[in-house]
Amino acid sequence: MSLFLDLGQNHSRGRFGGLVLALAGFAAAGAAAWFFLENEHPLPPPLRVPELAVDQTEPVAPAEPAPADPVAKAEPPEAPPPTDAPADLPPSVAELEQQFRAAGSVEDRIELARQIADGNNTGAVRALGRLLQLERQPAVKLALLARLNDIDPEVAPEARLDALAFALIGQPRNVRIAVLESLAQIDDPRVGPLLQKAMTTDPGREVRNTAAALYRARFESAAR
């Protein structure tokens, strides 16, 4: 009987050992298959995520742009809009007097005498008086006297009277008569003595008669 028990135990042990050997063979076969697959198709290495480096330096301020070159970048100024050119100013009395002295023709001097008289001021009266003393042509002298009468009688009466008194001496006859007629238009007490002097001292009878007639018309008729 003990013999049968030993045989049964041996038989059980044999079965268990076979199972262990079978399991061990299966594990060895699986490991071999895994090794073969791994070598045949190796798995890619795991991805490594790079660590972000933290910049611990101080922030750098952005560089300021260089200033623009005012010479190179400057644009030319815009031209001002065109405007009408100012009208030329008329020449002064002094300029006209100089032109009169330089003028060669009688017509030019007569025209310049008119322009001088257009000034209608003291300067014009004095300029005409000076030119009356210098002029040699009787026609121009008469034009100067006529233009002197065109100026307002209230302008420079002293200068006007002096110019006429000077023109009573040494002038042509028709010029002296024109001077007497100009004197008779002036409201000044000195006109009477000048007419009386011409009545008695002028070498020309016509001039003396003209002076007498003007004196009577101006002073004797006013006294009646």
Side-chain angles (χ1 to χ4, degrees), residues 132-161:
L132 185 60
Q133 297 176 19
L134 298 174
E135 182 57 47
R136 295 291 181 266
Q137 292 292 332
V140 181
K141 287 178 178 289
L142 291 174
L144 290 169
L145 287 170
R147 295 309 176 186
L148 189 60
N149 293 335
D150 291 342
I151 297 176
D152 188 347
E154 300 297 329
V155 175
E158 294 287 339
R160 185 195 306 262
L161 192 62

PDB file of all heavy atoms in Angstrom, residues 132-161:
ATOM      1  N   LEU A 132      12.313 178.531 -63.537  1.00  0.00           N
ATOM      2  CA  LEU A 132      11.969 179.767 -64.225  1.00  0.00           C
ATOM      3  C   LEU A 132      13.176 180.696 -64.331  1.00  0.00           C
ATOM      4  O   LEU A 132      13.346 181.415 -65.333  1.00  0.00           O
ATOM      5  CB  LEU A 132      10.826 180.459 -63.492  1.00  0.00           C
ATOM      6  CG  LEU A 132      10.226 181.722 -64.125  1.00  0.00           C
ATOM      7  CD1 LEU A 132       9.670 181.405 -65.508  1.00  0.00           C
ATOM      8  CD2 LEU A 132       9.144 182.313 -63.224  1.00  0.00           C
ATOM      9  N   GLN A 133      14.032 180.680 -63.336  1.00  0.00           N
ATOM     10  CA  GLN A 133      15.241 181.508 -63.371  1.00  0.00           C
ATOM     11  C   GLN A 133      16.278 180.974 -64.352  1.00  0.00           C
ATOM     12  O   GLN A 133      17.036 181.747 -64.946  1.00  0.00           O
ATOM     13  CB  GLN A 133      15.855 181.584 -61.967  1.00  0.00           C
ATOM     14  CG  GLN A 133      14.961 182.241 -60.927  1.00  0.00           C
ATOM     15  CD  GLN A 133      15.572 182.213 -59.534  1.00  0.00           C
ATOM     16  OE1 GLN A 133      16.783 182.033 -59.386  1.00  0.00           O
ATOM     17  NE2 GLN A 133      14.734 182.372 -58.524  1.00  0.00           N
ATOM     18  N   LEU A 134      16.322 179.644 -64.516  1.00  0.00           N
ATOM     19  CA  LEU A 134      17.352 179.025 -65.343  1.00  0.00           C
ATOM     20  C   LEU A 134      16.956 178.893 -66.806  1.00  0.00           C
ATOM     21  O   LEU A 134      17.833 178.842 -67.673  1.00  0.00           O
ATOM     22  CB  LEU A 134      17.701 177.639 -64.791  1.00  0.00           C
ATOM     23  CG  LEU A 134      18.276 177.599 -63.370  1.00  0.00           C
ATOM     24  CD1 LEU A 134      18.437 176.157 -62.914  1.00  0.00           C
ATOM     25  CD2 LEU A 134      19.623 178.326 -63.318  1.00  0.00           C
ATOM     26  N   GLU A 135      15.679 178.809 -67.084  1.00  0.00           N
ATOM     27  CA  GLU A 135      15.219 178.529 -68.438  1.00  0.00           C
ATOM     28  C   GLU A 135      15.538 179.696 -69.381  1.00  0.00           C
ATOM     29  O   GLU A 135      15.449 180.864 -69.015  1.00  0.00           O
ATOM     30  CB  GLU A 135      13.709 178.256 -68.431  1.00  0.00           C
ATOM     31  CG  GLU A 135      13.117 177.897 -69.777  1.00  0.00           C
ATOM     32  CD  GLU A 135      13.794 176.687 -70.404  1.00  0.00           C
ATOM     33  OE1 GLU A 135      13.995 175.678 -69.705  1.00  0.00           O
ATOM     34  OE2 GLU A 135      14.109 176.760 -71.614  1.00  0.00           O
ATOM     35  N   ARG A 136      15.895 179.333 -70.626  1.00  0.00           N
ATOM     36  CA  ARG A 136      16.236 180.327 -71.627  1.00  0.00           C
ATOM     37  C   ARG A 136      15.168 180.471 -72.718  1.00  0.00           C
ATOM     38  O   ARG A 136      15.067 181.521 -73.344  1.00  0.00           O
ATOM     39  CB  ARG A 136      17.583 179.973 -72.291  1.00  0.00           C
ATOM     40  CG  ARG A 136      18.752 180.037 -71.329  1.00  0.00           C
ATOM     41  CD  ARG A 136      19.041 181.468 -70.916  1.00  0.00           C
ATOM     42  NE  ARG A 136      20.173 181.586 -70.009  1.00  0.00           N
ATOM     43  CZ  ARG A 136      20.051 181.619 -68.685  1.00  0.00           C
ATOM     44  NH1 ARG A 136      18.853 181.518 -68.116  1.00  0.00           N
ATOM     45  NH2 ARG A 136      21.121 181.731 -67.927  1.00  0.00           N
ATOM     46  N   GLN A 137      14.392 179.430 -72.943  1.00  0.00           N
ATOM     47  CA  GLN A 137      13.387 179.478 -74.003  1.00  0.00           C
ATOM     48  C   GLN A 137      12.113 180.177 -73.500  1.00  0.00           C
ATOM     49  O   GLN A 137      11.527 179.766 -72.493  1.00  0.00           O
ATOM     50  CB  GLN A 137      13.032 178.062 -74.473  1.00  0.00           C
ATOM     51  CG  GLN A 137      14.141 177.353 -75.203  1.00  0.00           C
ATOM     52  CD  GLN A 137      14.414 177.996 -76.544  1.00  0.00           C
ATOM     53  OE1 GLN A 137      13.524 178.590 -77.172  1.00  0.00           O
ATOM     54  NE2 GLN A 137      15.650 177.888 -77.008  1.00  0.00           N
ATOM     55  N   PRO A 138      11.658 181.255 -74.178  1.00  0.00           N
ATOM     56  CA  PRO A 138      10.443 181.964 -73.736  1.00  0.00           C
ATOM     57  C   PRO A 138       9.215 181.060 -73.674  1.00  0.00           C
ATOM     58  O   PRO A 138       8.379 181.201 -72.770  1.00  0.00           O
ATOM     59  CB  PRO A 138      10.269 183.067 -74.787  1.00  0.00           C
ATOM     60  CG  PRO A 138      11.643 183.290 -75.317  1.00  0.00           C
ATOM     61  CD  PRO A 138      12.307 181.935 -75.314  1.00  0.00           C
ATOM     62  N   ALA A 139       9.097 180.121 -74.627  1.00  0.00           N
ATOM     63  CA  ALA A 139       7.923 179.241 -74.622  1.00  0.00           C
ATOM     64  C   ALA A 139       7.892 178.377 -73.363  1.00  0.00           C
ATOM     65  O   ALA A 139       6.824 178.141 -72.770  1.00  0.00           O
ATOM     66  CB  ALA A 139       7.922 178.369 -75.873  1.00  0.00           C
ATOM     67  N   VAL A 140       9.056 177.903 -72.934  1.00  0.00           N
ATOM     68  CA  VAL A 140       9.124 177.080 -71.718  1.00  0.00           C
ATOM     69  C   VAL A 140       8.883 177.950 -70.483  1.00  0.00           C
ATOM     70  O   VAL A 140       8.236 177.525 -69.528  1.00  0.00           O
ATOM     71  CB  VAL A 140      10.472 176.353 -71.636  1.00  0.00           C
ATOM     72  CG1 VAL A 140      10.532 175.490 -70.384  1.00  0.00           C
ATOM     73  CG2 VAL A 140      10.695 175.497 -72.876  1.00  0.00           C
ATOM     74  N   LYS A 141       9.384 179.198 -70.489  1.00  0.00           N
ATOM     75  CA  LYS A 141       9.136 180.102 -69.367  1.00  0.00           C
ATOM     76  C   LYS A 141       7.638 180.353 -69.191  1.00  0.00           C
ATOM     77  O   LYS A 141       7.123 180.347 -68.069  1.00  0.00           O
ATOM     78  CB  LYS A 141       9.861 181.437 -69.601  1.00  0.00           C
ATOM     79  CG  LYS A 141      11.370 181.366 -69.440  1.00  0.00           C
ATOM     80  CD  LYS A 141      11.980 182.722 -69.745  1.00  0.00           C
ATOM     81  CE  LYS A 141      13.496 182.724 -69.549  1.00  0.00           C
ATOM     82  NZ  LYS A 141      13.853 182.647 -68.126  1.00  0.00           N
ATOM     83  N   LEU A 142       6.947 180.567 -70.309  1.00  0.00           N
ATOM     84  CA  LEU A 142       5.501 180.782 -70.229  1.00  0.00           C
ATOM     85  C   LEU A 142       4.791 179.533 -69.691  1.00  0.00           C
ATOM     86  O   LEU A 142       3.817 179.628 -68.938  1.00  0.00           O
ATOM     87  CB  LEU A 142       4.952 181.154 -71.612  1.00  0.00           C
ATOM     88  CG  LEU A 142       5.380 182.539 -72.147  1.00  0.00           C
ATOM     89  CD1 LEU A 142       4.902 182.728 -73.582  1.00  0.00           C
ATOM     90  CD2 LEU A 142       4.843 183.649 -71.245  1.00  0.00           C
ATOM     91  N   ALA A 143       5.281 178.351 -70.105  1.00  0.00           N
ATOM     92  CA  ALA A 143       4.692 177.109 -69.596  1.00  0.00           C
ATOM     93  C   ALA A 143       4.925 176.975 -68.091  1.00  0.00           C
ATOM     94  O   ALA A 143       4.035 176.526 -67.346  1.00  0.00           O
ATOM     95  CB  ALA A 143       5.283 175.919 -70.342  1.00  0.00           C
ATOM     96  N   LEU A 144       6.110 177.365 -67.625  1.00  0.00           N
ATOM     97  CA  LEU A 144       6.399 177.302 -66.193  1.00  0.00           C
ATOM     98  C   LEU A 144       5.484 178.245 -65.407  1.00  0.00           C
ATOM     99  O   LEU A 144       4.977 177.882 -64.332  1.00  0.00           O
ATOM    100  CB  LEU A 144       7.865 177.658 -65.945  1.00  0.00           C
ATOM    101  CG  LEU A 144       8.897 176.625 -66.419  1.00  0.00           C
ATOM    102  CD1 LEU A 144      10.306 177.207 -66.378  1.00  0.00           C
ATOM    103  CD2 LEU A 144       8.828 175.361 -65.556  1.00  0.00           C
ATOM    104  N   LEU A 145       5.250 179.445 -65.931  1.00  0.00           N
ATOM    105  CA  LEU A 145       4.348 180.387 -65.257  1.00  0.00           C
ATOM    106  C   LEU A 145       2.914 179.852 -65.221  1.00  0.00           C
ATOM    107  O   LEU A 145       2.210 179.970 -64.214  1.00  0.00           O
ATOM    108  CB  LEU A 145       4.380 181.738 -65.973  1.00  0.00           C
ATOM    109  CG  LEU A 145       5.652 182.569 -65.782  1.00  0.00           C
ATOM    110  CD1 LEU A 145       5.667 183.760 -66.726  1.00  0.00           C
ATOM    111  CD2 LEU A 145       5.765 183.027 -64.327  1.00  0.00           C
ATOM    112  N   ALA A 146       2.486 179.274 -66.335  1.00  0.00           N
ATOM    113  CA  ALA A 146       1.130 178.723 -66.382  1.00  0.00           C
ATOM    114  C   ALA A 146       0.965 177.580 -65.379  1.00  0.00           C
ATOM    115  O   ALA A 146      -0.076 177.479 -64.705  1.00  0.00           O
ATOM    116  CB  ALA A 146       0.818 178.255 -67.802  1.00  0.00           C
ATOM    117  N   ARG A 147       1.995 176.740 -65.265  1.00  0.00           N
ATOM    118  CA  ARG A 147       1.903 175.618 -64.316  1.00  0.00           C
ATOM    119  C   ARG A 147       1.991 176.115 -62.883  1.00  0.00           C
ATOM    120  O   ARG A 147       1.378 175.527 -61.977  1.00  0.00           O
ATOM    121  CB  ARG A 147       3.015 174.609 -64.607  1.00  0.00           C
ATOM    122  CG  ARG A 147       2.890 173.936 -65.956  1.00  0.00           C
ATOM    123  CD  ARG A 147       1.503 173.364 -66.158  1.00  0.00           C
ATOM    124  NE  ARG A 147       1.324 172.797 -67.483  1.00  0.00           N
ATOM    125  CZ  ARG A 147       0.154 172.348 -67.935  1.00  0.00           C
ATOM    126  NH1 ARG A 147      -0.931 172.432 -67.184  1.00  0.00           N
ATOM    127  NH2 ARG A 147       0.054 171.854 -69.155  1.00  0.00           N
ATOM    128  N   LEU A 148       2.706 177.181 -62.666  1.00  0.00           N
ATOM    129  CA  LEU A 148       2.750 177.757 -61.322  1.00  0.00           C
ATOM    130  C   LEU A 148       1.367 178.259 -60.896  1.00  0.00           C
ATOM    131  O   LEU A 148       0.976 178.148 -59.739  1.00  0.00           O
ATOM    132  CB  LEU A 148       3.762 178.902 -61.293  1.00  0.00           C
ATOM    133  CG  LEU A 148       4.103 179.496 -59.925  1.00  0.00           C
ATOM    134  CD1 LEU A 148       4.693 178.429 -58.998  1.00  0.00           C
ATOM    135  CD2 LEU A 148       5.061 180.669 -60.082  1.00  0.00           C
ATOM    136  N   ASN A 149       0.623 178.817 -61.861  1.00  0.00           N
ATOM    137  CA  ASN A 149      -0.735 179.269 -61.562  1.00  0.00           C
ATOM    138  C   ASN A 149      -1.692 178.106 -61.316  1.00  0.00           C
ATOM    139  O   ASN A 149      -2.753 178.289 -60.696  1.00  0.00           O
ATOM    140  CB  ASN A 149      -1.264 180.128 -62.719  1.00  0.00           C
ATOM    141  CG  ASN A 149      -0.512 181.434 -62.851  1.00  0.00           C
ATOM    142  OD1 ASN A 149       0.057 181.947 -61.888  1.00  0.00           O
ATOM    143  ND2 ASN A 149      -0.483 181.985 -64.074  1.00  0.00           N
ATOM    144  N   ASP A 150      -1.347 176.909 -61.825  1.00  0.00           N
ATOM    145  CA  ASP A 150      -2.216 175.746 -61.625  1.00  0.00           C
ATOM    146  C   ASP A 150      -2.173 175.227 -60.190  1.00  0.00           C
ATOM    147  O   ASP A 150      -3.097 174.519 -59.763  1.00  0.00           O
ATOM    148  CB  ASP A 150      -1.811 174.620 -62.581  1.00  0.00           C
ATOM    149  CG  ASP A 150      -2.134 174.962 -64.031  1.00  0.00           C
ATOM    150  OD1 ASP A 150      -2.959 175.871 -64.258  1.00  0.00           O
ATOM    151  OD2 ASP A 150      -1.547 174.322 -64.931  1.00  0.00           O
ATOM    152  N   ILE A 151      -1.119 175.537 -59.467  1.00  0.00           N
ATOM    153  CA  ILE A 151      -0.989 175.047 -58.092  1.00  0.00           C
ATOM    154  C   ILE A 151      -1.887 175.885 -57.180  1.00  0.00           C
ATOM    155  O   ILE A 151      -2.072 177.096 -57.393  1.00  0.00           O
ATOM    156  CB  ILE A 151       0.484 175.116 -57.646  1.00  0.00           C
ATOM    157  CG1 ILE A 151       1.342 174.197 -58.534  1.00  0.00           C
ATOM    158  CG2 ILE A 151       0.632 174.710 -56.185  1.00  0.00           C
ATOM    159  CD1 ILE A 151       2.821 174.254 -58.233  1.00  0.00           C
ATOM    160  N   ASP A 152      -2.427 175.236 -56.185  1.00  0.00           N
ATOM    161  CA  ASP A 152      -3.328 175.897 -55.231  1.00  0.00           C
ATOM    162  C   ASP A 152      -2.690 177.189 -54.709  1.00  0.00           C
ATOM    163  O   ASP A 152      -1.562 177.174 -54.221  1.00  0.00           O
ATOM    164  CB  ASP A 152      -3.606 174.933 -54.079  1.00  0.00           C
ATOM    165  CG  ASP A 152      -4.677 175.451 -53.127  1.00  0.00           C
ATOM    166  OD1 ASP A 152      -5.025 176.641 -53.213  1.00  0.00           O
ATOM    167  OD2 ASP A 152      -5.144 174.667 -52.286  1.00  0.00           O
ATOM    168  N   PRO A 153      -3.383 178.335 -54.791  1.00  0.00           N
ATOM    169  CA  PRO A 153      -2.785 179.594 -54.343  1.00  0.00           C
ATOM    170  C   PRO A 153      -2.448 179.619 -52.860  1.00  0.00           C
ATOM    171  O   PRO A 153      -1.608 180.429 -52.420  1.00  0.00           O
ATOM    172  CB  PRO A 153      -3.844 180.648 -54.668  1.00  0.00           C
ATOM    173  CG  PRO A 153      -4.973 179.955 -55.304  1.00  0.00           C
ATOM    174  CD  PRO A 153      -4.678 178.509 -55.393  1.00  0.00           C
ATOM    175  N   GLU A 154      -3.054 178.737 -52.078  1.00  0.00           N
ATOM    176  CA  GLU A 154      -2.760 178.693 -50.653  1.00  0.00           C
ATOM    177  C   GLU A 154      -1.448 177.966 -50.350  1.00  0.00           C
ATOM    178  O   GLU A 154      -0.979 177.993 -49.210  1.00  0.00           O
ATOM    179  CB  GLU A 154      -3.901 177.982 -49.903  1.00  0.00           C
ATOM    180  CG  GLU A 154      -5.255 178.659 -50.050  1.00  0.00           C
ATOM    181  CD  GLU A 154      -5.256 180.060 -49.453  1.00  0.00           C
ATOM    182  OE1 GLU A 154      -4.518 180.293 -48.466  1.00  0.00           O
ATOM    183  OE2 GLU A 154      -5.994 180.918 -49.964  1.00  0.00           O
ATOM    184  N   VAL A 155      -0.880 177.313 -51.352  1.00  0.00           N
ATOM    185  CA  VAL A 155       0.349 176.542 -51.150  1.00  0.00           C
ATOM    186  C   VAL A 155       1.553 177.455 -51.356  1.00  0.00           C
ATOM    187  O   VAL A 155       1.708 178.066 -52.418  1.00  0.00           O
ATOM    188  CB  VAL A 155       0.416 175.346 -52.125  1.00  0.00           C
ATOM    189  CG1 VAL A 155       1.760 174.623 -51.993  1.00  0.00           C
ATOM    190  CG2 VAL A 155      -0.731 174.395 -51.875  1.00  0.00           C
ATOM    191  N   ALA A 156       2.367 177.582 -50.339  1.00  0.00           N
ATOM    192  CA  ALA A 156       3.647 178.318 -50.398  1.00  0.00           C
ATOM    193  C   ALA A 156       3.488 179.693 -51.046  1.00  0.00           C
ATOM    194  O   ALA A 156       4.132 179.980 -52.068  1.00  0.00           O
ATOM    195  CB  ALA A 156       4.694 177.489 -51.131  1.00  0.00           C
ATOM    196  N   PRO A 157       2.649 180.585 -50.497  1.00  0.00           N
ATOM    197  CA  PRO A 157       2.480 181.908 -51.129  1.00  0.00           C
ATOM    198  C   PRO A 157       3.761 182.740 -51.126  1.00  0.00           C
ATOM    199  O   PRO A 157       3.996 183.508 -52.073  1.00  0.00           O
ATOM    200  CB  PRO A 157       1.381 182.563 -50.275  1.00  0.00           C
ATOM    201  CG  PRO A 157       1.430 181.838 -48.973  1.00  0.00           C
ATOM    202  CD  PRO A 157       1.833 180.439 -49.278  1.00  0.00           C
ATOM    203  N   GLU A 158       4.588 182.582 -50.104  1.00  0.00           N
ATOM    204  CA  GLU A 158       5.832 183.354 -50.065  1.00  0.00           C
ATOM    205  C   GLU A 158       6.767 182.945 -51.200  1.00  0.00           C
ATOM    206  O   GLU A 158       7.330 183.802 -51.901  1.00  0.00           O
ATOM    207  CB  GLU A 158       6.534 183.133 -48.716  1.00  0.00           C
ATOM    208  CG  GLU A 158       5.778 183.673 -47.522  1.00  0.00           C
ATOM    209  CD  GLU A 158       5.828 185.190 -47.458  1.00  0.00           C
ATOM    210  OE1 GLU A 158       6.749 185.767 -48.069  1.00  0.00           O
ATOM    211  OE2 GLU A 158       4.963 185.790 -46.804  1.00  0.00           O
ATOM    212  N   ALA A 159       6.942 181.646 -51.385  1.00  0.00           N
ATOM    213  CA  ALA A 159       7.832 181.161 -52.445  1.00  0.00           C
ATOM    214  C   ALA A 159       7.280 181.530 -53.814  1.00  0.00           C
ATOM    215  O   ALA A 159       8.047 181.868 -54.739  1.00  0.00           O
ATOM    216  CB  ALA A 159       7.993 179.649 -52.329  1.00  0.00           C
ATOM    217  N   ARG A 160       5.980 181.505 -53.978  1.00  0.00           N
ATOM    218  CA  ARG A 160       5.371 181.862 -55.258  1.00  0.00           C
ATOM    219  C   ARG A 160       5.622 183.343 -55.580  1.00  0.00           C
ATOM    220  O   ARG A 160       5.994 183.702 -56.708  1.00  0.00           O
ATOM    221  CB  ARG A 160       3.872 181.577 -55.207  1.00  0.00           C
ATOM    222  CG  ARG A 160       3.143 181.792 -56.519  1.00  0.00           C
ATOM    223  CD  ARG A 160       1.641 181.843 -56.263  1.00  0.00           C
ATOM    224  NE  ARG A 160       1.199 180.672 -55.554  1.00  0.00           N
ATOM    225  CZ  ARG A 160       0.650 179.599 -56.134  1.00  0.00           C
ATOM    226  NH1 ARG A 160       0.506 179.576 -57.439  1.00  0.00           N
ATOM    227  NH2 ARG A 160       0.257 178.576 -55.407  1.00  0.00           N
ATOM    228  N   LEU A 161       5.412 184.201 -54.586  1.00  0.00           N
ATOM    229  CA  LEU A 161       5.592 185.637 -54.796  1.00  0.00           C
ATOM    230  C   LEU A 161       7.047 185.985 -55.097  1.00  0.00           C
ATOM    231  O   LEU A 161       7.336 186.840 -55.961  1.00  0.00           O
ATOM    232  CB  LEU A 161       5.105 186.410 -53.571  1.00  0.00           C
ATOM    233  CG  LEU A 161       4.963 187.935 -53.727  1.00  0.00           C
ATOM    234  CD1 LEU A 161       3.931 188.258 -54.800  1.00  0.00           C
ATOM    235  CD2 LEU A 161       4.554 188.564 -52.393  1.00  0.00           C
TER     236      LEU A 161
END
